[in-house]
């Protein structure tokens, strides 16, 4: 059985896509990436976010306090590591580069790619329609 090890730092949001892909945000909206080095476990990444989602494939998404959506491109563009994505969210999480989910002010959760088709929380009960497709209890077809 694995033992829990306390890691220095104070975060308000954390996301672990894998053992080597761990990101967090603190109360001051500063963004950090876990280094897996005990001497300095977190490195600061430029930008300011209120929530963050990290995937196993290294994809990282975030939202700021203004509910704007961003995707991390730091390895490709060191000047501006975050690319703005159209839409508005309060919460976000990433399963992979192509599987990103977010929640809005009305607490409905949708895949981020659907934000381009209709504003979150509007339209003909989008979240309810999704539940019906999955079956009454969230399983099956």
């Amino acid at each position: 059985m694995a033992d829990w090890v306390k890691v220095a730092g104070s975060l308000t949001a954390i996301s672990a896509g894998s053992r080597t892909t761990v990101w967090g945000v603190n109360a001051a909206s500063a963004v950090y990436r876990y280094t897996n080095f005990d001497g300095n476990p977190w490195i600061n990444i430029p930008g300011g976010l209120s929530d963050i989602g990290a995937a196993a494939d290294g994809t990282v998404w975030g939202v700021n306090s203004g509910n704007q959506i961003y995707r991390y491109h730091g390895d490709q563009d060191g000047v501006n590591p975050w690319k703005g994505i159209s839409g508005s969210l309060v919460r976000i999480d990433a399963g992979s580069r192509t599987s990103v989910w977010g929640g809005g002010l009305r607490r409905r959760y949708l895949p981020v790619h659907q934000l381009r088709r209709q504003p979150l929380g509007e339209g003909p009960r989008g979240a309810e329609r999704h539940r019906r497709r999955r079956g009454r209890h969230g399983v099956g077809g």
Side-chain angles (χ1 to χ4, degrees):
M1 183 175 191
D3 293 323
W4 288 92
V5 176
K6 182 175 171 90
V7 176
S10 179
L11 301 172
T12 57
I14 190 167
S15 183
S18 70
R19 189 177 71 150
T20 58
T21 306
V22 181
W23 289 68
V25 176
N26 71 10
S29 299
V31 180
Y32 292 91
R33 182 172 61 197
Y34 185 64
T35 65
N36 203 23
F37 175 64
D38 291 338
N40 186 19
W42 300 99
I43 58 170
N44 182 251
I45 304 297
L49 300 174
S50 58
D51 196 28
I52 197 159
D57 64 6
T59 302
V60 180
W61 290 67
V63 294
N64 67 11
S65 60
N67 304 328
Q68 296 168 311
I69 306 166
Y70 294 91
R71 182 172 176 197
Y72 184 71
H73 286 269
D75 298 336
Q76 299 163 9
D77 182 2
V79 176
N80 185 10
W82 299 96
K83 178 183 177 190
I85 305 295
S86 64
S88 178
L89 293 173
V90 175
R91 304 283 304 192
I92 197 160
D93 205 357
S96 71
R97 184 181 63 81
T98 58
S99 178
V100 181
W101 289 77
L105 296 172
R106 296 181 185 180
R107 300 182 190 266
R108 291 185 178 161
Y109 287 82
L110 292 171
V112 170
H113 72 273
Q114 286 188 5
L115 292 174
R116 293 189 180 102
R117 289 198 295 254
Q118 74 180 28
L120 189 65
E122 296 182 11
R125 294 188 308 237
E128 180 63 30
R129 200 174 55 235
H130 178 71
R131 273 195 294 278
R132 275 187 266 142
R133 255 189 266 133
R134 287 181 31 221
R136 177 178 240 182
H137 301 289
V139 295

